[in-house]
Amino acid sequence: MTEIIIIRHGETEWNQTGRFQGHSDVPLSETGRTQAEALGRNLALDHVDAVYASDLTRAMETAAPLAARFGLGVISDPLLRELNFGAWEGRSFSDVNAENPNAMKQFYNDPECADIPDSEPFPDFQKRVAGRVRAIAELHRGKRIVIVSHGASIRILLADILAMPIRSIWHISQLNTAVNKIRFEDDGFAIVTLMNDTSHLRGVGQ
């Protein structure tokens, strides 16, 4: 059995202000750094064999305290990045909605058909993230691996594993530093054993 623990990054200022982050390299906020420290300190694990993270700063910063606890470095991986939001990157949700409410409605109701100029198509996004996570699981068979990634990345992975349509991904909650666990059997069959857990943040701003 191989266990993948995939965690969303901590809070950023762009999370606070409701802006599309995507591939933009936004660091953690003060609250996000506190969340990452709590994750590293409180997550109930007796060992970890490797720690991967998206190469974006907010993911690497979130992974660092947990990796340090187990004497590990963080393996930076651009394939674990968030969706590339193209022309929406850096823009606020409210501004995009005011400019084109139909596009925002489509984004949430049928993201595969979302009209976002220069963005990454959702099917390509799913192949990128789910393919990389499955490759990591195969590379580390029988081990426990932590991956720190992003909200939409984790949702699109869970949709792949649960055979959900892509249009359902926004029905899955992913809070900052939410912990999800996936068990991969030797034949590649995957079972989600935990979703969106933030019990490590008790007493910490969420």
Side-chain angles (χ1 to χ4, degrees):
M1 184 200 77
T2 305
E3 186 174 47
I4 297 291
I5 301 172
I6 189 161
I7 302 168
R8 188 186 177 197
H9 64 78
E11 183 188 81
T12 71
E13 290 185 5
W14 285 21
N15 289 143
Q16 293 174 340
T17 57
R19 295 169 69 183
F20 290 99
Q21 295 185 108
H23 285 199
S24 300
D25 201 10
V26 184
L28 295 179
S29 64
E30 183 177 349
T31 295
R33 289 190 292 273
T34 300
Q35 292 171 336
E37 290 165 3
L39 173 74
R41 183 175 60 249
N42 298 332
L43 190 60
L45 296 173
D46 60 0
H47 81 281
V48 170
D49 295 296
V51 178
Y52 286 76
S54 155
D55 64 337
L56 297 175
T57 299
R58 58 193 184 271
M60 294 291 290
E61 288 181 333
T62 302
L66 185 62
R69 173 179 153 193
F70 293 103
L72 299 169
V74 180
I75 302 168
S76 171
D77 193 329
L79 293 177
L80 299 170
R81 282 187 178 194
E82 181 61 290
L83 176 74
N84 183 343
F85 283 101
W88 288 7
E89 297 239 345
R91 300 193 62 194
S92 71
F93 305 153
S94 58
D95 284 351
V96 172
N97 188 57
E99 180 181 282
N100 194 338
N102 288 332
M104 281 290 283
K105 183 177 181 180
Q106 189 174 52
F107 172 71
Y108 285 112
N109 292 331
D110 191 6
E112 286 183 271
C113 297
D115 182 18
I116 309 173
D118 304 317
S119 66
E120 182 178 15
F122 274 81
D124 293 351
F125 175 45
Q126 186 171 57
K127 289 176 184 177
R128 168 168 65 82
V129 175
R132 183 57 182 144
V133 171
R134 290 179 183 277
I136 290 170
E138 179 62 25
L139 182 64
H140 298 279
R141 291 182 68 175
K143 304 294 185 180
R144 173 184 286 153
I145 309 301
V146 168
I147 296 173
V148 178
S149 189
H150 305 267
S153 302
I154 295 170
R155 290 177 173 99
I156 206 85
L157 169 68
L158 293 172
D160 177 77
I161 289 171
L162 297 171
M164 294 167 54
I166 289 175
R167 66 176 180 274
S168 299
I169 64 170
W170 304 123
H171 295 288
I172 301 173
S173 178
Q174 283 295 299
L175 301 173
N176 288 117
T177 70
V179 175
N180 308 268
K181 296 183 179 181
I182 305 164
R183 187 174 78 238
F184 284 88
E185 304 295 347
D186 289 343
D187 63 358
F189 187 79
I191 301 167
V192 177
T193 61
L194 183 70
M195 289 177 63
N196 198 39
D197 178 54
T198 58
S199 58
H200 55 277
L201 293 181
R202 290 193 183 100
V204 176
Q206 298 186 42

